[in-house]
Structure formats: structure tokens, C-alpha cells
Amino acid sequence: MKLIADLHIHLAGTAPCAQIAGQIAEQAAQRGLILAALTDHLPKTSNIHCAWSPADQAVLPETQNGVRFLCGAEADISACGALIAPPQALAGAQLVVAAMHPYCVAPGSRLAHTEAFEAALKSSYTDILAHPMDAPYPFDEERIVALAARLGKPLELNALSERSDLQCRQAQQRLAQLAAQYGAPLVVSSDAQRPEQVGDFGAIPYWLDDLGIAQTLVVNAGASQLAAFLARVRARKREAGIWN
Ligand SMILES: [Zn+2]
């Protein structure tokens, strides 16, 4: 499966903005991508990364080397499913990936994780549920996949999760098969922490093909479904009054 966009990239603060943008655009273009979403962690949620500041965003080109940039963000999901970020920062992001992280939420019960994912998916701010198959947070997969299908919000298959934990591949494969069964959209992301990881989706595109997952189910596997997904994001946020 050929992927044309990377919708989960962390690089803010590693170099001046224009330099990072150049590195991302070069890497993305080499890998045949047409779009790269910068989704660094929002302020006050993590000491690992910082988000792009409005000043950074102002110098970020719309397109470079034929690669379009989206200025997004990654938001932490709290134990009760709220997104831990200032609403104005969430509203300012063109794409929000939401995820649970051990530095933020201690693992609880399967039911608690399920309810938290459910609430986060239902948030008008959330566009993608990021790395849900990370080990610390088991949940009722059918319930979340069914909800994602109903809301049309993609569940992420994360290359970094798979690189750090081989067992995660099995879990992500199970998620992909359930998504196919329920018609829930998927997205494959690098979660790049370095420029050279942009557009590196590891083995995921290959095993998606092996499993017979339809390319049309993966929002970043075709220009038409990518455009349709981004249009849905804009329309939903405009309707909720949270599109800047
Ligand atoms: Zn994350």
C-alpha cells in the first residue's frame, strides 16, 4: 500500500522552524508524500516536546518541495477522556491527534480506558485517535472501533509503537482487521521524532496488504480519501465553531 501523507510528526524545537520545515519537506518528498502534518505536543502537557508557536506557524510555508504542511498538534487524553490542552491551542491546530501517554495518565482498568477513548473520540477537537494499541491501555476494541466507524474518525496504526514494542504489531493487526469489519477509517503514521523518520511507516503498509485491508479504508493511502478526510475535519470543526 502506497501512503501519501504523514499525519503525526514531532520535530518542533529541534532547530529553527524554517530549517525543520526544509528537512521535513525534503524527506517527505523523497518518500513520495504530498502532505506532512506537524503534530507536536501542546504546551503544559509534556516536557518532551513543545508545540509550534504562532510565530513558528507564521514562517511555516504552506507548501515546500511539493509537500503541503498542516500545522497540527498532539493532545494528551486524561484519565476521564478530556483533552488536556487549552481550548484556544486546540482550536488553532489544523489537525489534532489525541493519545494517552504514560507520563500523563497511569494505566487504570479496561473499562476506564474504554470510556476515556470514547470521550476523546467524541470530542469535537479530536481528529485522530493516536496509537490506541500501545500496551499500557487495553480497552474494549469492538466498542471503540464501532464508535470510530460511526464518527468517521481514523484510528492510528503507529510505526514508532511497532518499532519500540514488537508485540504491538499483533495488536495493530487485530485493530486493522476489526476496522475493516466495522468500516472504521484507519491512518498510518510515523510519529517521527527525527527528520529522517518522516514518512517511515515501517512494515505497516506491507502487512496491511498481506491482511487484505482495502486501500480505501486508510485515509492517507489515496489523494481522494485524504482530501475527503481533511474536508470532513474542516466541516465538523466549522460546525462546532472551533475552526480558526
Ligand atoms: Zn503520542
Side-chain angles (χ1 to χ4, degrees):
M1 191 176 296
K2 164 99 180 84
L3 299 169
I4 58 162
D6 194 346
L7 301 182
H8 189 163
I9 297 170
H10 296 277
L11 284 166
T14 56
C17 177
Q19 190 184 331
I20 299 170
Q23 291 169 335
I24 294 174
E26 196 184 324
Q27 189 66 38
Q30 268 178 27
R31 290 203 150 113
L33 306 186
I34 59 166
L35 187 140
L38 312 171
T39 53
D40 280 283
H41 292 267
L42 285 169
K44 297 182 194 148
T45 63
S46 154
N47 55 8
I48 302 173
H49 297 286
C50 55
W52 293 81
S53 70
D56 286 336
Q57 291 182 26
V59 299
L60 193 71
E62 225 171 273
T63 305
Q64 192 165 342
N65 290 21
V67 178
R68 183 179 153 208
F69 286 112
L70 279 187
C71 215
E74 178 165 12
D76 290 310
I77 301 172
S78 75
C80 65
L83 301 194
I84 313 172
Q88 67 274 24
L90 290 168
Q94 292 175 304
L95 186 82
V96 173
V97 304
M100 286 181 106
H101 295 103
Y103 60 73
C104 196
V105 173
S109 68
R110 190 169 179 268
L111 178 63
H113 303 153
T114 305
E115 289 177 348
F117 281 144
E118 211 164 55
L121 260 180
K122 286 180 181 167
S123 162
S124 299
Y125 292 113
T126 302
D127 300 312
I128 290 170
L129 190 60
H131 50 74
M133 302 313 284
D134 279 9
Y137 305 109
F139 61 97
D140 183 333
E141 292 164 11
E142 290 209 48
R143 196 164 137 186
I144 294 303
V145 169
L147 178 65
R150 188 158 62 75
L151 298 172
K153 293 190 180 181
L155 301 169
E156 186 192 74
L157 304 170
N158 185 297
L160 180 67
S161 300
E162 219 172 90
R163 266 196 292 273
S164 344
D165 173 10
L166 273 181
Q167 287 191 332
C168 188
R169 176 171 304 171
Q170 260 184 339
Q172 298 205 117
Q173 290 178 334
R174 195 170 64 241
L175 185 77
Q177 283 171 310
L178 262 183
Q181 200 181 317
Y182 281 83
L186 292 167
V187 62
V188 183
S189 298
S190 71
D191 205 343
Q193 316 283 316
R194 299 196 304 271
E196 64 272 22
Q197 292 175 335
V198 171
D200 179 356
F201 304 111
I204 299 175
Y206 303 99
W207 64 244
L208 280 172
D209 285 338
D210 290 344
L211 292 178
I213 303 296
Q215 176 251 358
T216 48
L217 200 65
V218 181
V219 297
N220 57 331
S224 57
Q225 64 257 39
L226 179 64
F229 165 63
L230 295 174
R232 270 203 317 275
V233 166
R234 275 195 304 275
R236 179 170 40 76
K237 291 189 166 178
R238 282 212 178 103
E239 198 180 321
I242 53 169
W243 181 265
N244 279 353

